[in-house]
Amino acid sequence: MLEVKNLRKEYAGLTAVQGISFNLHPGDIFGFIGSNGAGKTTTIRMIATLLEPTAGTAILNGADIRRDTMEVRRMIGYMPDFFGLYDDVKVWEYLDFFAAIYRVPTKQRGEVIDSVLELTNLTIKKDAFVQSLSRGMQQRLCLARCLVHDPTLLLLDEPASGLDPRARAELKELIAELGRMGKIVIVSSHILPELADFCNTVGIIERGELLAFGPVSKIVTEMQPHRVLAVQVLGAAADFVGPIADMPNVLSAVAVGEGDLRVEFSGDLEAQADFLAKLVGKGMRVATFREDSADLEDVFLKLTTGALN
Amino acid sequence: MASAIGAWMVANRDVYIGNATAMRDFRVQLRGNRSVLLFGLYLFVLIGVALIVYSSTSGMSGMSGVTIVDAQSHLKQFYETTMGLLGLTVCIVAPGLTATSIVAERQRQSIDLVFSAPVTPKYYLVGKMISSFRYTWMLLVLSLPVTAASVVLGGASWADVLVAYILLSLQGLILTAFALLMSAVSPKPVGAIIWSYAASLLYNIGAYAASSTALATLRYGRGGGAGSEAPCFVALSPWTVGEAARTYMTLGGHQVPNWLIMAVVSLLIVKICLLGAGALLSPSGGKEVVGLRIHALLYTATLSGIAGWMAWEYLCHIAPTSFSSSGIGSVTGSAICGIMVSWVAMPIFLFMPFVGCFGFDRERRYMPNGVFSIRHLLDGTPAGGFPFLLSMLLCLFGGFAFGGWYHMRIGVSFDFWIFAIYSFTLWFFFWSLARLVSSLVNNLKTSRVLVFSGFMFLVVMPYPFLLAVAGIDLDINKMSLWDLYILEPITGRRAEPIPKAILFSAILFGLAVVITAIGESRTRTKLKSMRNYDERPYQAA
């Protein structure tokens, strides 16, 4: 379990992270969302013990990032937003080096390297030089490096930046698989759709402040507690606004186009079906009727102002 | 206890044997034909130069009328030239190979990946050291056939060659450690290369000056040579290993080979360089900073003790009257020693900016945690800066006085301690300036640069100016611009430096107290005004 307690980082004249707190459990895939410069990387680097927090701490399975630095490092796999690859090194040598510094016993290293290469689909590139790999492969190699010591917590900083759609999809699947393996995964990104797909928990950060934290559905519900229905009718939408607004469970109705209506609705699915039946019953010629559910992007835009540190 | 020793041994085995960093670098270094070609070229050049040297020296022995003694002398000259060539190789290769090792990783950002793993700075630095040094050592080993020729022809014995190689290896180790430290300090590879070669050059100049002086004494003084007694620093220079190989020093009635003393000295130099680099690399300061400070104090006390031992003996033999109240002229031997040690303390200016300054740097905070705290003597925090400075001066002056007393059973007089007080007030003054500057600016780097510049402005720059304007005037009664110079009491210009030393001590002390008070007042105001300032324990500097 990871407990982040009031983690704070100050530089000269700048508070990069303003005392954020959250808890994560095994299997959680936490999407850390924020604009560039919001404080994501600083938070991740503090948890990775690469930056000393100004105040607060994080505790991973009982080990404090400030006191038990080496113990924490043994349990984390950190993948920064840069590759940091060595030239003139083969893929297996690169992994062997990291396995060695993580004190993976010599006899087990070969087996471990083979298994992480298989997991990241790089087995055929085992003897290739790292500089000859494509960007997507290098990204996967970095992920493989993080896995050689079987970490409890994975810190992935912008893992999908610069990847093509296929490589991105593969990476998403890989991260989801790691979550299923019971690891805690923290993924930072400012590309929201990629996070919404596989993260079960998200946190939105702006100017070092954690504005929202929790499961995606919960955050969306909190931001938009009522259903929004998009109704397209044949005829002038403005003529139907009045009658619809008087119907049960309808909180508001607005004409948004020639024949389009946006209805804020407080009822459940059954009430929603009744509502449609009533519309038809009142002689309205309904062409389309759908729930316009909010997504992470809506929530993010609603919560944040775009201000930077 | 046994388990602790076992754990320590396992940890050290991991560091020195099978170090992953060294292994990875080694793979890269020896990959492909590049290294084979380089080694081939190196051998080709070495053999070519050796052949030229040999033909020029042996050509003379082929002439009629040349005695066996002359021929042997020429062969010895050939051997020494070969060793000189190897010394040159070490001086060029060791810094060049090492200078970029850390800074390149920092630029590539792979250093972050390494330190996100459970890797200590020691593990990483030793790995880097092994990988660089191993390459230098391979070059030395490759040259064995050339030096073996000297043994076969009669210019040297196998023992000479073996000891010379040990000395070259140790010097290579020192230069590698210097370059590693420079690589940790420098933000860019070009800077690291320049600073590494500059450090190597300085070391070579100093070591050559010391060892050639000692060797000259051997040649023309007591008529020694190989197998002769000589000061241990004769073995410091890579250029004189051929001659220094069989010298020894008498310690406690035992003849100790100088290469053995050199081995201990080299390892200590390497240790302190690695601790310095470790303190710079360590994200949390702590252990490496403590180690660095303990070693700095121990080395200072030991070297000062040895200097006291040697200087006191010299003064007792050469100028015994200096211990009387009259002394040499009107300057006593103790005063001379006091002035000498005050000058020896001058390198403190190099680390004064690190000891005295505080503020923000890019990632770490070096916030003020008090003015004086013995508890923080070793942890590198600002409150421990002044106690550490005090301890350094105590080790320096105390070590010197103790060394002299232990050897000759004659203690230094009060004159010596007057210069100790002067030295203390001088550094107290610069420390107070560092605190004041830090209280005025936020950025740590700016504070350090300003303090360093302040030292240059007050101490270094006035000297040539005063020499040009006022010249050297030994007339005690004549006032001159020199009287305003901060180092006036120890310039040796005045025949009676004691009253000057007392006066300057009083002035510097007063100034330092006032400046410290102003600085602390400003610091308190600054801390209060800082948003969300927290009172947690402070980060190591």
PDB file of all heavy atoms in Angstrom, chain A residues 8-9 11 45 52 54 66 73 82 85-86 88 93 97, chain B residues 24 31 105 108-109 112 115 117 362-363 532 534 536 539:
ATOM      1  N   ARG A   8       5.063  17.791  -0.021  1.00  0.00           N
ATOM      2  CA  ARG A   8       5.214  19.186  -0.418  1.00  0.00           C
ATOM      3  C   ARG A   8       6.630  19.436  -0.924  1.00  0.00           C
ATOM      4  O   ARG A   8       7.583  18.880  -0.417  1.00  0.00           O
ATOM      5  CB  ARG A   8       4.944  20.054   0.824  1.00  0.00           C
ATOM      6  CG  ARG A   8       5.097  21.515   0.631  1.00  0.00           C
ATOM      7  CD  ARG A   8       4.910  22.238   1.967  1.00  0.00           C
ATOM      8  NE  ARG A   8       4.743  23.634   1.731  1.00  0.00           N
ATOM      9  CZ  ARG A   8       3.590  24.219   1.413  1.00  0.00           C
ATOM     10  NH1 ARG A   8       2.488  23.511   1.347  1.00  0.00           N
ATOM     11  NH2 ARG A   8       3.521  25.503   1.185  1.00  0.00           N
ATOM     12  N   LYS A   9       6.742  20.256  -1.959  1.00  0.00           N
ATOM     13  CA  LYS A   9       8.069  20.609  -2.462  1.00  0.00           C
ATOM     14  C   LYS A   9       8.124  22.082  -2.799  1.00  0.00           C
ATOM     15  O   LYS A   9       7.304  22.584  -3.562  1.00  0.00           O
ATOM     16  CB  LYS A   9       8.398  19.778  -3.705  1.00  0.00           C
ATOM     17  CG  LYS A   9       9.765  20.047  -4.273  1.00  0.00           C
ATOM     18  CD  LYS A   9      10.862  19.538  -3.377  1.00  0.00           C
ATOM     19  CE  LYS A   9      12.237  19.997  -3.831  1.00  0.00           C
ATOM     20  NZ  LYS A   9      13.267  19.620  -2.873  1.00  0.00           N
ATOM     21  N   TYR A  11      10.680  25.254  -4.095  1.00  0.00           N
ATOM     22  CA  TYR A  11      11.951  25.754  -4.615  1.00  0.00           C
ATOM     23  C   TYR A  11      12.010  27.227  -4.248  1.00  0.00           C
ATOM     24  O   TYR A  11      11.085  27.746  -3.629  1.00  0.00           O
ATOM     25  CB  TYR A  11      12.013  25.595  -6.136  1.00  0.00           C
ATOM     26  CG  TYR A  11      11.951  24.168  -6.613  1.00  0.00           C
ATOM     27  CD1 TYR A  11      10.846  23.699  -7.308  1.00  0.00           C
ATOM     28  CD2 TYR A  11      13.000  23.302  -6.366  1.00  0.00           C
ATOM     29  CE1 TYR A  11      10.794  22.395  -7.749  1.00  0.00           C
ATOM     30  CE2 TYR A  11      12.950  21.988  -6.808  1.00  0.00           C
ATOM     31  CZ  TYR A  11      11.844  21.541  -7.502  1.00  0.00           C
ATOM     32  OH  TYR A  11      11.779  20.261  -7.935  1.00  0.00           O
ATOM     33  N   ARG A  45       8.965  12.144  -8.699  1.00  0.00           N
ATOM     34  CA  ARG A  45      10.390  12.094  -8.329  1.00  0.00           C
ATOM     35  C   ARG A  45      10.580  12.070  -6.814  1.00  0.00           C
ATOM     36  O   ARG A  45      11.543  11.492  -6.315  1.00  0.00           O
ATOM     37  CB  ARG A  45      11.140  13.284  -8.940  1.00  0.00           C
ATOM     38  CG  ARG A  45      11.446  13.090 -10.419  1.00  0.00           C
ATOM     39  CD  ARG A  45      12.045  14.333 -11.047  1.00  0.00           C
ATOM     40  NE  ARG A  45      13.338  14.674 -10.496  1.00  0.00           N
ATOM     41  CZ  ARG A  45      14.492  14.128 -10.883  1.00  0.00           C
ATOM     42  NH1 ARG A  45      14.494  13.211 -11.817  1.00  0.00           N
ATOM     43  NH2 ARG A  45      15.621  14.501 -10.345  1.00  0.00           N
ATOM     44  N   GLU A  52      14.209  15.335  -2.482  1.00  0.00           N
ATOM     45  CA  GLU A  52      13.879  15.399  -1.058  1.00  0.00           C
ATOM     46  C   GLU A  52      12.638  16.274  -0.876  1.00  0.00           C
ATOM     47  O   GLU A  52      12.632  17.430  -1.304  1.00  0.00           O
ATOM     48  CB  GLU A  52      15.062  16.009  -0.321  1.00  0.00           C
ATOM     49  CG  GLU A  52      14.876  16.174   1.145  1.00  0.00           C
ATOM     50  CD  GLU A  52      15.504  15.045   1.939  1.00  0.00           C
ATOM     51  OE1 GLU A  52      16.080  14.150   1.329  1.00  0.00           O
ATOM     52  OE2 GLU A  52      15.376  15.075   3.157  1.00  0.00           O
ATOM     53  N   THR A  54      10.093  18.868   0.757  1.00  0.00           N
ATOM     54  CA  THR A  54      10.262  19.955   1.719  1.00  0.00           C
ATOM     55  C   THR A  54       9.507  19.603   3.001  1.00  0.00           C
ATOM     56  O   THR A  54       9.962  19.882   4.107  1.00  0.00           O
ATOM     57  CB  THR A  54       9.713  21.272   1.131  1.00  0.00           C
ATOM     58  OG1 THR A  54      10.342  21.486  -0.122  1.00  0.00           O
ATOM     59  CG2 THR A  54       9.979  22.443   2.031  1.00  0.00           C
ATOM     60  N   ARG A  66      11.665   9.043   3.155  1.00  0.00           N
ATOM     61  CA  ARG A  66      12.703   9.932   3.688  1.00  0.00           C
ATOM     62  C   ARG A  66      13.680   9.177   4.573  1.00  0.00           C
ATOM     63  O   ARG A  66      14.870   9.491   4.583  1.00  0.00           O
ATOM     64  CB  ARG A  66      12.074  11.066   4.497  1.00  0.00           C
ATOM     65  CG  ARG A  66      11.108  11.861   3.663  1.00  0.00           C
ATOM     66  CD  ARG A  66      10.478  12.961   4.450  1.00  0.00           C
ATOM     67  NE  ARG A  66      11.390  14.076   4.596  1.00  0.00           N
ATOM     68  CZ  ARG A  66      11.003  15.321   4.800  1.00  0.00           C
ATOM     69  NH1 ARG A  66       9.738  15.608   4.879  1.00  0.00           N
ATOM     70  NH2 ARG A  66      11.864  16.279   4.918  1.00  0.00           N
ATOM     71  N   ARG A  73      13.501   2.149  -2.608  1.00  0.00           N
ATOM     72  CA  ARG A  73      14.009   1.970  -3.972  1.00  0.00           C
ATOM     73  C   ARG A  73      13.928   0.526  -4.434  1.00  0.00           C
ATOM     74  O   ARG A  73      13.772   0.262  -5.626  1.00  0.00           O
ATOM     75  CB  ARG A  73      15.464   2.453  -4.053  1.00  0.00           C
ATOM     76  CG  ARG A  73      15.583   3.948  -3.989  1.00  0.00           C
ATOM     77  CD  ARG A  73      17.026   4.350  -4.074  1.00  0.00           C
ATOM     78  NE  ARG A  73      17.180   5.784  -3.908  1.00  0.00           N
ATOM     79  CZ  ARG A  73      18.343   6.405  -3.942  1.00  0.00           C
ATOM     80  NH1 ARG A  73      19.450   5.720  -4.113  1.00  0.00           N
ATOM     81  NH2 ARG A  73      18.416   7.701  -3.782  1.00  0.00           N
ATOM     82  N   PHE A  82      12.017  10.509 -19.919  1.00  0.00           N
ATOM     83  CA  PHE A  82      13.112  10.440 -20.894  1.00  0.00           C
ATOM     84  C   PHE A  82      13.629   9.006 -20.842  1.00  0.00           C
ATOM     85  O   PHE A  82      13.368   8.286 -19.889  1.00  0.00           O
ATOM     86  CB  PHE A  82      14.216  11.434 -20.537  1.00  0.00           C
ATOM     87  CG  PHE A  82      14.673  11.360 -19.117  1.00  0.00           C
ATOM     88  CD1 PHE A  82      15.618  10.431 -18.717  1.00  0.00           C
ATOM     89  CD2 PHE A  82      14.128  12.183 -18.141  1.00  0.00           C
ATOM     90  CE1 PHE A  82      16.024  10.343 -17.400  1.00  0.00           C
ATOM     91  CE2 PHE A  82      14.524  12.110 -16.824  1.00  0.00           C
ATOM     92  CZ  PHE A  82      15.474  11.176 -16.451  1.00  0.00           C
ATOM     93  N   LEU A  85      18.915   5.969 -21.982  1.00  0.00           N
ATOM     94  CA  LEU A  85      19.526   4.700 -22.413  1.00  0.00           C
ATOM     95  C   LEU A  85      21.019   4.881 -22.673  1.00  0.00           C
ATOM     96  O   LEU A  85      21.456   5.958 -23.051  1.00  0.00           O
ATOM     97  CB  LEU A  85      18.849   4.209 -23.694  1.00  0.00           C
ATOM     98  CG  LEU A  85      17.370   3.840 -23.581  1.00  0.00           C
ATOM     99  CD1 LEU A  85      16.781   3.588 -24.950  1.00  0.00           C
ATOM    100  CD2 LEU A  85      17.182   2.625 -22.704  1.00  0.00           C
ATOM    101  N   TYR A  86      21.755   3.797 -22.483  1.00  0.00           N
ATOM    102  CA  TYR A  86      23.195   3.835 -22.756  1.00  0.00           C
ATOM    103  C   TYR A  86      23.445   3.457 -24.213  1.00  0.00           C
ATOM    104  O   TYR A  86      22.771   2.588 -24.751  1.00  0.00           O
ATOM    105  CB  TYR A  86      23.928   2.845 -21.860  1.00  0.00           C
ATOM    106  CG  TYR A  86      23.834   3.188 -20.406  1.00  0.00           C
ATOM    107  CD1 TYR A  86      22.959   2.514 -19.567  1.00  0.00           C
ATOM    108  CD2 TYR A  86      24.623   4.186 -19.864  1.00  0.00           C
ATOM    109  CE1 TYR A  86      22.867   2.830 -18.226  1.00  0.00           C
ATOM    110  CE2 TYR A  86      24.538   4.508 -18.528  1.00  0.00           C
ATOM    111  CZ  TYR A  86      23.666   3.832 -17.719  1.00  0.00           C
ATOM    112  OH  TYR A  86      23.570   4.152 -16.401  1.00  0.00           O
ATOM    113  N   ASP A  88      25.818   1.814 -27.242  1.00  0.00           N
ATOM    114  CA  ASP A  88      26.729   0.655 -27.367  1.00  0.00           C
ATOM    115  C   ASP A  88      26.406  -0.472 -26.398  1.00  0.00           C
ATOM    116  O   ASP A  88      27.300  -1.228 -26.004  1.00  0.00           O
ATOM    117  CB  ASP A  88      28.195   1.096 -27.155  1.00  0.00           C
ATOM    118  CG  ASP A  88      28.778   1.686 -28.418  1.00  0.00           C
ATOM    119  OD1 ASP A  88      28.152   1.513 -29.477  1.00  0.00           O
ATOM    120  OD2 ASP A  88      29.843   2.311 -28.333  1.00  0.00           O
ATOM    121  N   GLU A  93      22.051  -6.699 -22.187  1.00  0.00           N
ATOM    122  CA  GLU A  93      23.090  -6.144 -21.307  1.00  0.00           C
ATOM    123  C   GLU A  93      22.517  -4.990 -20.474  1.00  0.00           C
ATOM    124  O   GLU A  93      22.848  -4.842 -19.302  1.00  0.00           O
ATOM    125  CB  GLU A  93      24.262  -5.625 -22.145  1.00  0.00           C
ATOM    126  CG  GLU A  93      25.091  -6.713 -22.768  1.00  0.00           C
ATOM    127  CD  GLU A  93      26.133  -6.198 -23.749  1.00  0.00           C
ATOM    128  OE1 GLU A  93      26.035  -5.023 -24.170  1.00  0.00           O
ATOM    129  OE2 GLU A  93      27.021  -6.970 -24.114  1.00  0.00           O
ATOM    130  N   PHE A  97      22.385  -5.110 -16.489  1.00  0.00           N
ATOM    131  CA  PHE A  97      22.980  -4.081 -15.636  1.00  0.00           C
ATOM    132  C   PHE A  97      21.997  -3.671 -14.533  1.00  0.00           C
ATOM    133  O   PHE A  97      22.354  -3.606 -13.353  1.00  0.00           O
ATOM    134  CB  PHE A  97      23.379  -2.874 -16.485  1.00  0.00           C
ATOM    135  CG  PHE A  97      23.699  -1.645 -15.686  1.00  0.00           C
ATOM    136  CD1 PHE A  97      24.766  -1.633 -14.807  1.00  0.00           C
ATOM    137  CD2 PHE A  97      22.930  -0.496 -15.800  1.00  0.00           C
ATOM    138  CE1 PHE A  97      25.060  -0.503 -14.062  1.00  0.00           C
ATOM    139  CE2 PHE A  97      23.215   0.635 -15.056  1.00  0.00           C
ATOM    140  CZ  PHE A  97      24.278   0.630 -14.185  1.00  0.00           C
TER     141      PHE A  97
ATOM    142  N   ARG B  24      29.395  -2.972 -16.876  1.00  0.00           N
ATOM    143  CA  ARG B  24      28.751  -2.400 -18.060  1.00  0.00           C
ATOM    144  C   ARG B  24      29.726  -1.540 -18.865  1.00  0.00           C
ATOM    145  O   ARG B  24      29.829  -1.663 -20.081  1.00  0.00           O
ATOM    146  CB  ARG B  24      27.559  -1.556 -17.634  1.00  0.00           C
ATOM    147  CG  ARG B  24      26.653  -1.189 -18.783  1.00  0.00           C
ATOM    148  CD  ARG B  24      25.964   0.132 -18.562  1.00  0.00           C
ATOM    149  NE  ARG B  24      26.930   1.182 -18.302  1.00  0.00           N
ATOM    150  CZ  ARG B  24      26.792   2.116 -17.386  1.00  0.00           C
ATOM    151  NH1 ARG B  24      25.737   2.122 -16.628  1.00  0.00           N
ATOM    152  NH2 ARG B  24      27.716   3.042 -17.194  1.00  0.00           N
ATOM    153  N   ARG B  31      34.237  -3.300 -26.642  1.00  0.00           N
ATOM    154  CA  ARG B  31      33.373  -3.773 -27.737  1.00  0.00           C
ATOM    155  C   ARG B  31      33.993  -3.439 -29.104  1.00  0.00           C
ATOM    156  O   ARG B  31      34.534  -2.369 -29.295  1.00  0.00           O
ATOM    157  CB  ARG B  31      31.999  -3.126 -27.610  1.00  0.00           C
ATOM    158  CG  ARG B  31      31.075  -3.459 -28.744  1.00  0.00           C
ATOM    159  CD  ARG B  31      29.650  -3.442 -28.289  1.00  0.00           C
ATOM    160  NE  ARG B  31      29.335  -4.610 -27.488  1.00  0.00           N
ATOM    161  CZ  ARG B  31      28.527  -4.601 -26.440  1.00  0.00           C
ATOM    162  NH1 ARG B  31      27.968  -3.489 -26.048  1.00  0.00           N
ATOM    163  NH2 ARG B  31      28.275  -5.698 -25.783  1.00  0.00           N
ATOM    164  N   GLU B 105      26.802  10.826 -17.965  1.00  0.00           N
ATOM    165  CA  GLU B 105      25.601  10.127 -17.463  1.00  0.00           C
ATOM    166  C   GLU B 105      24.558  11.138 -16.985  1.00  0.00           C
ATOM    167  O   GLU B 105      23.367  10.933 -17.138  1.00  0.00           O
ATOM    168  CB  GLU B 105      25.969   9.193 -16.307  1.00  0.00           C
ATOM    169  CG  GLU B 105      26.657   7.941 -16.774  1.00  0.00           C
ATOM    170  CD  GLU B 105      26.060   6.682 -16.179  1.00  0.00           C
ATOM    171  OE1 GLU B 105      24.850   6.654 -15.922  1.00  0.00           O
ATOM    172  OE2 GLU B 105      26.819   5.724 -15.970  1.00  0.00           O
ATOM    173  N   ARG B 108      22.971  12.551 -20.060  1.00  0.00           N
ATOM    174  CA  ARG B 108      22.099  11.543 -20.681  1.00  0.00           C
ATOM    175  C   ARG B 108      20.899  11.234 -19.775  1.00  0.00           C
ATOM    176  O   ARG B 108      19.962  10.589 -20.174  1.00  0.00           O
ATOM    177  CB  ARG B 108      22.928  10.278 -20.878  1.00  0.00           C
ATOM    178  CG  ARG B 108      22.405   9.315 -21.903  1.00  0.00           C
ATOM    179  CD  ARG B 108      23.128   7.995 -21.816  1.00  0.00           C
ATOM    180  NE  ARG B 108      24.510   8.060 -22.232  1.00  0.00           N
ATOM    181  CZ  ARG B 108      25.540   7.605 -21.527  1.00  0.00           C
ATOM    182  NH1 ARG B 108      25.362   7.068 -20.347  1.00  0.00           N
ATOM    183  NH2 ARG B 108      26.759   7.691 -21.985  1.00  0.00           N
ATOM    184  N   GLN B 109      20.999  11.682 -18.534  1.00  0.00           N
ATOM    185  CA  GLN B 109      19.986  11.498 -17.488  1.00  0.00           C
ATOM    186  C   GLN B 109      19.884  10.053 -17.019  1.00  0.00           C
ATOM    187  O   GLN B 109      18.953   9.714 -16.296  1.00  0.00           O
ATOM    188  CB  GLN B 109      18.622  12.014 -17.943  1.00  0.00           C
ATOM    189  CG  GLN B 109      18.617  13.526 -18.154  1.00  0.00           C
ATOM    190  CD  GLN B 109      17.277  14.045 -18.612  1.00  0.00           C
ATOM    191  OE1 GLN B 109      16.790  13.642 -19.646  1.00  0.00           O
ATOM    192  NE2 GLN B 109      16.675  14.912 -17.846  1.00  0.00           N
ATOM    193  N   ASP B 112      19.871   9.330 -13.113  1.00  0.00           N
ATOM    194  CA  ASP B 112      18.624   9.284 -12.343  1.00  0.00           C
ATOM    195  C   ASP B 112      18.098   7.855 -12.261  1.00  0.00           C
ATOM    196  O   ASP B 112      17.549   7.439 -11.238  1.00  0.00           O
ATOM    197  CB  ASP B 112      17.559  10.156 -13.009  1.00  0.00           C
ATOM    198  CG  ASP B 112      17.572  11.562 -12.448  1.00  0.00           C
ATOM    199  OD1 ASP B 112      18.430  11.842 -11.594  1.00  0.00           O
ATOM    200  OD2 ASP B 112      16.738  12.371 -12.870  1.00  0.00           O
ATOM    201  N   PHE B 115      20.253   6.000  -9.736  1.00  0.00           N
ATOM    202  CA  PHE B 115      19.987   6.353  -8.339  1.00  0.00           C
ATOM    203  C   PHE B 115      18.523   6.169  -7.927  1.00  0.00           C
ATOM    204  O   PHE B 115      18.184   6.412  -6.774  1.00  0.00           O
ATOM    205  CB  PHE B 115      20.468   7.776  -8.042  1.00  0.00           C
ATOM    206  CG  PHE B 115      21.959   7.840  -7.861  1.00  0.00           C
ATOM    207  CD1 PHE B 115      22.757   8.526  -8.738  1.00  0.00           C
ATOM    208  CD2 PHE B 115      22.571   7.151  -6.824  1.00  0.00           C
ATOM    209  CE1 PHE B 115      24.129   8.567  -8.591  1.00  0.00           C
ATOM    210  CE2 PHE B 115      23.936   7.171  -6.661  1.00  0.00           C
ATOM    211  CZ  PHE B 115      24.726   7.877  -7.551  1.00  0.00           C
ATOM    212  N   ALA B 117      17.504   3.208  -8.241  1.00  0.00           N
ATOM    213  CA  ALA B 117      17.715   1.833  -7.761  1.00  0.00           C
ATOM    214  C   ALA B 117      18.444   1.911  -6.419  1.00  0.00           C
ATOM    215  O   ALA B 117      18.980   2.962  -6.065  1.00  0.00           O
ATOM    216  CB  ALA B 117      18.554   1.086  -8.790  1.00  0.00           C
ATOM    217  N   ARG B 362      19.033  24.242  -7.027  1.00  0.00           N
ATOM    218  CA  ARG B 362      18.002  23.764  -7.948  1.00  0.00           C
ATOM    219  C   ARG B 362      17.043  22.774  -7.292  1.00  0.00           C
ATOM    220  O   ARG B 362      15.839  22.855  -7.440  1.00  0.00           O
ATOM    221  CB  ARG B 362      18.671  23.123  -9.170  1.00  0.00           C
ATOM    222  CG  ARG B 362      17.703  22.834 -10.276  1.00  0.00           C
ATOM    223  CD  ARG B 362      18.417  22.383 -11.520  1.00  0.00           C
ATOM    224  NE  ARG B 362      17.484  21.699 -12.394  1.00  0.00           N
ATOM    225  CZ  ARG B 362      17.281  20.401 -12.391  1.00  0.00           C
ATOM    226  NH1 ARG B 362      17.954  19.652 -11.561  1.00  0.00           N
ATOM    227  NH2 ARG B 362      16.409  19.852 -13.220  1.00  0.00           N
ATOM    228  N   GLU B 363      17.593  21.822  -6.578  1.00  0.00           N
ATOM    229  CA  GLU B 363      16.720  20.788  -6.036  1.00  0.00           C
ATOM    230  C   GLU B 363      16.762  20.682  -4.521  1.00  0.00           C
ATOM    231  O   GLU B 363      15.798  20.292  -3.894  1.00  0.00           O
ATOM    232  CB  GLU B 363      17.097  19.438  -6.641  1.00  0.00           C
ATOM    233  CG  GLU B 363      16.779  19.389  -8.118  1.00  0.00           C
ATOM    234  CD  GLU B 363      16.797  17.986  -8.652  1.00  0.00           C
ATOM    235  OE1 GLU B 363      17.381  17.119  -7.996  1.00  0.00           O
ATOM    236  OE2 GLU B 363      16.222  17.768  -9.718  1.00  0.00           O
ATOM    237  N   ASN B 532       4.861  29.599   4.220  1.00  0.00           N
ATOM    238  CA  ASN B 532       4.759  28.188   4.600  1.00  0.00           C
ATOM    239  C   ASN B 532       6.090  27.571   5.011  1.00  0.00           C
ATOM    240  O   ASN B 532       6.361  26.420   4.729  1.00  0.00           O
ATOM    241  CB  ASN B 532       4.192  27.368   3.440  1.00  0.00           C
ATOM    242  CG  ASN B 532       2.891  27.924   2.968  1.00  0.00           C
ATOM    243  OD1 ASN B 532       1.991  28.172   3.765  1.00  0.00           O
ATOM    244  ND2 ASN B 532       2.789  28.165   1.675  1.00  0.00           N
ATOM    245  N   ASP B 534       8.601  25.637   6.992  1.00  0.00           N
ATOM    246  CA  ASP B 534       8.396  24.573   7.979  1.00  0.00           C
ATOM    247  C   ASP B 534       9.676  24.344   8.767  1.00  0.00           C
ATOM    248  O   ASP B 534      10.771  24.616   8.300  1.00  0.00           O
ATOM    249  CB  ASP B 534       7.939  23.289   7.304  1.00  0.00           C
ATOM    250  CG  ASP B 534       9.003  22.714   6.426  1.00  0.00           C
ATOM    251  OD1 ASP B 534       9.372  23.378   5.440  1.00  0.00           O
ATOM    252  OD2 ASP B 534       9.470  21.629   6.729  1.00  0.00           O
ATOM    253  N   ARG B 536      11.142  21.659   9.878  1.00  0.00           N
ATOM    254  CA  ARG B 536      11.696  20.308   9.897  1.00  0.00           C
ATOM    255  C   ARG B 536      13.237  20.372   9.894  1.00  0.00           C
ATOM    256  O   ARG B 536      13.809  21.421   9.593  1.00  0.00           O
ATOM    257  CB  ARG B 536      11.215  19.529   8.684  1.00  0.00           C
ATOM    258  CG  ARG B 536      11.815  20.027   7.405  1.00  0.00           C
ATOM    259  CD  ARG B 536      11.343  19.202   6.252  1.00  0.00           C
ATOM    260  NE  ARG B 536      12.105  19.573   5.087  1.00  0.00           N
ATOM    261  CZ  ARG B 536      13.306  19.119   4.798  1.00  0.00           C
ATOM    262  NH1 ARG B 536      13.890  18.246   5.584  1.00  0.00           N
ATOM    263  NH2 ARG B 536      13.940  19.511   3.724  1.00  0.00           N
ATOM    264  N   GLN B 539      18.287  20.231   5.467  1.00  0.00           N
ATOM    265  CA  GLN B 539      18.978  19.419   4.471  1.00  0.00           C
ATOM    266  C   GLN B 539      20.500  19.632   4.560  1.00  0.00           C
ATOM    267  O   GLN B 539      20.950  20.734   4.795  1.00  0.00           O
ATOM    268  CB  GLN B 539      18.459  19.851   3.098  1.00  0.00           C
ATOM    269  CG  GLN B 539      19.177  19.243   1.935  1.00  0.00           C
ATOM    270  CD  GLN B 539      19.024  17.757   1.953  1.00  0.00           C
ATOM    271  OE1 GLN B 539      17.916  17.253   2.045  1.00  0.00           O
ATOM    272  NE2 GLN B 539      20.128  17.057   1.914  1.00  0.00           N
TER     273      GLN B 539
END
